[in-house]
Amino acid sequence: MLNIPNIMDQVKKRNPGESEFHQAVEEVLESLAPVFEKHPEYLKAGILDRIIEPERQIMFRVPWLDDEGNVRINRGFRVQFNSAIGPYKGGLRFHPSVYLGIIKFLGFEQVFKNSLTGLPIGGGKGGSDFDPKGKSDDEIMKFCQSFMTELYRHIGADLDIPAGDIGVGAREIGFLFGQYKRIKNAYEAGVLTGKGLTYGGSLARKEATGFGLVYFVREILAANNDSYENKEIVISGAGNVAIYACQKAQEYGAKVIAMSDSKGYIYDKDGIKLDTVKQIKEVERKRISEYVKHHPNAEYHEGQRNIWTLKCDIALPCATQNDIDIESAKILINNGVKVVGEGANMPCTNEAVKTFLENNVLVAPAKAANAGGVATSALEMSQNSIRLSWSFEEVNNKLNDIMVNIFKAADSASKEYGMPGNYVAGANIAGFLKVAEAMMAQGLV
Ligand code: NDP
């Protein structure tokens, strides 16, 4: 029997102050208890103790000069969590809230997510407390170059392959890749993913996380004899994941009625006009509040979290962690929500997830539902290795197949372990088993 409170006491002692990491570990432990009962050999081999301890954690100084010539110092991170099934793989997040606890929670979740994709990639994550908001392109470039000047020695196409995340998009990946190439004096395209199409990027990578989320939720709906037809959807965020989730959901005939950014949300009862959101967020890099200037019938409301007071059939939190707390969960349930699809990483608190499950709301957990991004990153690596580019359709079809397979894996694990319909537990178990088997085979390392 797993003594979860005891294990959590240890985790908190060994990782003080890292609340997001504690939360991520606790959520996984609760799902894995029946696995350890069935496989006591895993406990004996220390798989649990090892899987919650990163293989390597790197923290470094990132000095750079702003446009006024002032010296600025940020902190850089790379946590190489687990390489049992492949090289470390996971994004870089640039956001002022970043500290070791956030990078560790993301790296820990990445281990299970990457395993679920069925592709040979281990888990890692990195980033910085640098805030790209309000910085000039020059400042972004100087920061990225300084960041890579340290990071380059820890990464490689067969070692550790970073990608984007919050605050790291095509612009940042371009600057990071340029500096890596310059330092290494070698064109190692497979060292970063999310690259531009002119220098080794993959078609459909930009769309992959959002599209994949909508494919995964489609499978959940279908398993419950339902579809996107006549569904009203609320999406938090207006970044990479949110925008392409909105696009695919609209293609499937659903009506997306609201989106948000870190300041507030827009509500358009006639359906969000995505071209306007793309122009504001992808091109002008402005606030979502600008939307109502183009569409006066829509409403803008301050307060990002208030978006969850809207009535909807499907909620897709695609912004950041702990976006839906228990209060928001209760409001969503009272308003009749049927499915919650996690586009962001850990967007629901553990209490919110429990409340959804107790009230028969179907939950598509982040590790499974947003795995389309990293899966397509792995497809980008494959294309880099064989020095070929696949068409959009080819990549998108592979992404669709991967999401269907992830759903099947989570669904069948949930059934095998006596929790049918609990895709949260199913995804954790299916992701864990493959990593655990590989760790067993490789001995005590
Ligand atoms: P972006 O930076 O493109 O967009 C993030 C969006 O969320 C922005 O609209 C941002 O608002 C909003 N937001 C609201 N509150 C916060 C907050 N407290 N911190 C940061 N952002 C906030 O990021 P992505 O769309 O790439 O990522 C969104 C989520 O999806 C993250 O949890 C990420 O880890 C996860 N994810 C991303 C993948 C990818 O391929 N990009 C893959 C798998 C998971 P504003 O515009 O005001 O900044």
Side-chain angles (χ1 to χ4, degrees), residues 93-95 97 105-106 110 113 125 133 163-169 205-206 208-210 236-243 260-264 281 286-288 304 317-321 323 342-347 366 370-374 377:
R93 176 176 293 191
F94 291 170
H95 192 269
S97 63
F105 116 67
L106 290 164
Q110 198 82 44
K113 181 187 312 193
K125 199 83 189 187
K133 275 215 185 76
D165 190 79
I166 291 176
V168 179
R205 172 61 188 93
K206 184 175 67 171
T209 310
S236 70
N240 174 263
V241 181
I243 285 177
S260 65
D261 67 11
S262 51
K263 291 278 182 276
K281 282 297 182 183
K286 286 189 178 158
R287 308 251 49 113
I288 195 96
Q304 169 208 345
C318 297
T320 191
Q321 63 274 359
D323 186 5
E342 297 188 324
N345 285 310
M346 209 165 72
N370 72 25
V374 72
S377 276

Side-chain angles (χ1 to χ4, degrees), residues 69-81:
N70 302 309
V71 171
R72 301 282 203 105
I73 304 296
N74 285 99
R75 189 170 280 179
F77 302 87
R78 189 70 188 167
V79 173
Q80 298 179 330
F81 225 106

Side-chain angles (χ1 to χ4, degrees), residues 69-360:
N70 302 309
V71 171
R72 301 282 203 105
I73 304 296
N74 285 99
R75 189 170 280 179
F77 302 87
R78 189 70 188 167
V79 173
Q80 298 179 330
F81 225 106
N82 193 299
S83 62
I85 62 170
Y88 311 106
K89 175 98 197 86
L92 298 171
R93 176 176 293 191
F94 291 170
H95 192 269
S97 63
V98 164
Y99 75 108
L100 189 59
I102 295 237
I103 300 300
K104 276 167 70 176
F105 116 67
L106 290 164
F108 179 69
E109 298 226 316
Q110 198 82 44
V111 175
F112 300 84
K113 181 187 312 193
N114 292 3
S115 163
L116 278 170
T117 65
L119 301 166
I121 36 179
K125 199 83 189 187
S128 173
D129 57 2
F130 172 74
D131 186 0
K133 275 215 185 76
K135 303 287 188 301
S136 68
D137 282 355
D138 266 1
E139 289 176 322
I140 300 279
M141 182 176 72
K142 283 185 275 187
F143 175 81
C144 288
Q145 290 179 340
S146 181
F147 184 84
M148 185 53 86
T149 301
E150 173 61 33
L151 186 70
Y152 88 94
R153 65 188 91 243
H154 307 291
I155 61 175
D158 292 315
L159 169 63
D160 183 356
I161 306 98
D165 190 79
I166 291 176
V168 179
R171 174 181 59 171
E172 290 75 16
I173 293 291
F175 294 146
L176 291 165
F177 183 69
Q179 183 72 351
Y180 180 86
K181 182 167 67 66
R182 186 179 188 200
I183 295 172
K184 291 296 295 279
N185 190 29
Y187 206 103
E188 299 166 18
V191 71
L192 285 171
T193 59
K195 298 183 292 296
L197 294 175
T198 52
Y199 62 96
S202 173
L203 286 162
R205 172 61 188 93
K206 184 175 67 171
E207 293 82 358
T209 310
F211 279 20
L213 168 67
V214 174
Y215 296 153
F216 190 88
V217 169
R218 180 198 64 204
E219 294 304 300
I220 288 194
L221 287 167
N224 290 275
N225 301 316
D226 209 342
S227 76
Y228 280 109
E229 220 152 291
N230 302 320
K231 295 289 186 299
E232 294 208 330
I233 301 187
V234 167
I235 299 180
S236 70
N240 174 263
V241 181
I243 285 177
Y244 293 97
C246 178
Q247 181 169 320
K248 189 48 81 179
Q250 289 179 337
E251 278 172 34
Y252 277 135
K255 192 203 267 184
V256 178
I257 54 168
M259 292 180 82
S260 65
D261 67 11
S262 51
K263 291 278 182 276
Y265 72 91
I266 48 165
Y267 169 63
D268 190 335
K269 65 177 173 16
D270 303 321
I272 294 285
K273 282 52 169 198
L274 191 59
D275 285 348
T276 309
V277 175
K278 282 186 180 175
Q279 177 65 24
I280 295 168
K281 282 297 182 183
E282 291 187 331
V283 182
E284 297 168 11
R285 295 177 189 269
K286 286 189 178 158
R287 308 251 49 113
I288 195 96
S289 53
E290 297 284 312
Y291 183 90
V292 291
K293 292 187 186 155
H294 302 266
H295 305 288
N297 286 339
E299 298 168 18
Y300 173 72
H301 299 272
E302 288 284 327
Q304 169 208 345
R305 280 214 186 150
N306 296 333
I307 196 170
W308 305 119
T309 58
L310 295 171
K311 183 175 162 46
C312 62
D313 303 299
I314 300 174
L316 300 179
C318 297
T320 191
Q321 63 274 359
N322 294 330
D323 186 5
I324 300 185
D325 58 10
I326 189 146
E327 301 311 322
S328 300
K330 284 180 184 162
I331 298 170
L332 282 162
I333 292 165
N334 282 338
N335 282 338
V337 73
K338 295 181 180 66
V339 183
V340 176
E342 297 188 324
N345 285 310
M346 209 165 72
C348 302
T349 63
N350 292 353
E351 293 73 27
V353 171
K354 267 187 209 142
T355 310
F356 285 133
L357 294 175
E358 281 162 13
N359 286 276
N360 298 319

